[in-house]
């Protein structure tokens, strides 16, 4: 695969991963609101009305884990292929594509930040919640994997953009 094809495929995968995270973030936000409401009901000695929360949350994190597990081999393969590309292949004519990849990686990073923010909010409400067995450990593992992969992608995109930019002529604008 050529460097240009790798850039295009990596860029598409970045966008795909970001789009995968968007509904995950929304759902986690919803679970955070529901958990807050359950905590308030417990504190006020009101019967908890959301009886399906535990099952739905555990299904959510299991589904999230399976989604991430399906994506991991794709990213591992892409990163390995990119590492095998010699530095001379990152030519100046790929600078625009590299900037596009860098931009998509930054958008993915913002989505990861949003996920981390929702994760922190959920965990803040969860620390006082002992009424049910939630698989928060699995959510934490997913959060760590999302953050780690996003950081690797962002670093890779920056490195490619830096290499292509260095090869541009000083008069190119």
């Amino acid at each position: 695969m050529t460097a240009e094809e790798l850039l295009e495929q990596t860029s598409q995968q970045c966008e795909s991963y970001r789009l995968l995270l968007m509904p995950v973030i929304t759902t986690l936000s919803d679970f955070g609101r529901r958990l807050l409401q359950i905590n308030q009901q417990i504190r006020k000695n009101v019967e908890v009305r959301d009886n399906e929360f535990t099952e739905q949350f555990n299904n959510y994190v299991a589904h999230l884990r399976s989604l991430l597990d399906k994506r991991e081999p794709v990213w591992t393969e892409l990163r390995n292929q990119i590492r095998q590309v010699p530095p001379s292949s990152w030519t100046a004519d790929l600078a625009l594509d590299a900037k596009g990849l860098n931009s998509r990686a930054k958008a993915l990073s913002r989505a990861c930040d949003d996920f981390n923010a929702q994760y922190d909010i959920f965990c803040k409400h969860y620390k006082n919640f002992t009424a049910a067995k939630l698989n928060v450990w699995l959510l934490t593992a997913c959060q760590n994997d999302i953050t780690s992969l996003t950081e690797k992608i962002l670093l890779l995109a920056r490195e490619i953009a830096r290499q292509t930019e260095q090869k541009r002529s000083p008069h190119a604008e």
Side-chain angles (χ1 to χ4, degrees):
M1 202 179 283
T2 67
E4 185 175 7
E5 292 170 339
L6 279 172
L7 274 175
E8 180 61 31
Q9 188 174 8
T10 305
S11 188
Q12 289 173 355
Q13 287 297 324
C14 266
E15 185 63 14
S16 174
Y17 198 58
R18 185 188 70 79
L19 291 174
L20 173 121
L21 286 179
M22 298 314 288
V24 167
I25 294 165
T26 303
T27 305
L28 184 57
S29 174
D30 183 50
F31 278 118
R33 283 192 298 274
R34 288 171 65 187
L35 183 60
L36 175 62
Q37 189 174 33
I38 290 170
N39 279 336
Q40 289 172 346
Q41 290 170 352
I42 291 171
R43 207 172 322 119
K44 293 177 183 177
N45 286 329
V46 174
E47 182 181 342
V48 175
R49 297 178 209 108
D50 194 348
N51 297 325
E52 299 172 355
F53 179 79
T54 302
E55 181 182 347
Q56 289 176 354
F57 177 79
N58 289 340
N59 289 340
Y60 162 76
V61 292
H63 179 68
L64 177 58
R65 178 78 267 162
S66 70
L67 287 175
L68 296 178
D69 287 346
K70 288 177 188 172
R71 294 293 176 125
E72 184 63 33
V74 172
W75 279 109
T76 302
E77 180 63 28
L78 268 174
R79 288 187 356 254
N80 285 336
Q81 287 177 357
I82 288 174
R83 281 190 210 113
Q84 292 172 2
V85 173
S88 60
S89 295
W90 300 116
T91 58
D93 62 326
L94 296 176
L96 189 58
D97 291 336
K99 284 183 179 184
L101 171 61
N102 197 24
S103 177
R104 286 210 166 114
K106 286 177 184 178
L108 174 61
S109 179
R110 284 189 296 274
C112 178
D113 291 344
D114 291 344
F115 179 82
N116 288 335
Q118 291 305 318
Y119 170 81
D120 290 343
I121 291 168
F122 182 86
C123 287
K124 178 181 147 195
H125 299 309
Y126 176 72
K127 71 179 182 180
N128 298 322
F129 183 70
T130 58
K133 300 269 187 205
L134 298 179
N135 292 339
V136 175
W137 62 271
L138 190 55
L139 180 63
T140 301
C142 291
Q143 184 264 344
N144 288 334
D145 290 348
I146 290 169
T147 301
S148 175
L149 182 59
T150 301
E151 288 172 354
K152 290 174 185 175
I153 293 166
L154 193 56
L155 182 65
L156 189 68
R158 286 178 179 162
E159 181 63 24
I160 292 170
R162 185 186 61 78
Q163 287 183 14
T164 58
E165 193 63 33
Q166 283 178 346
K167 294 184 178 147
R168 291 182 68 199
S169 71
H171 304 291
E173 293 290 324

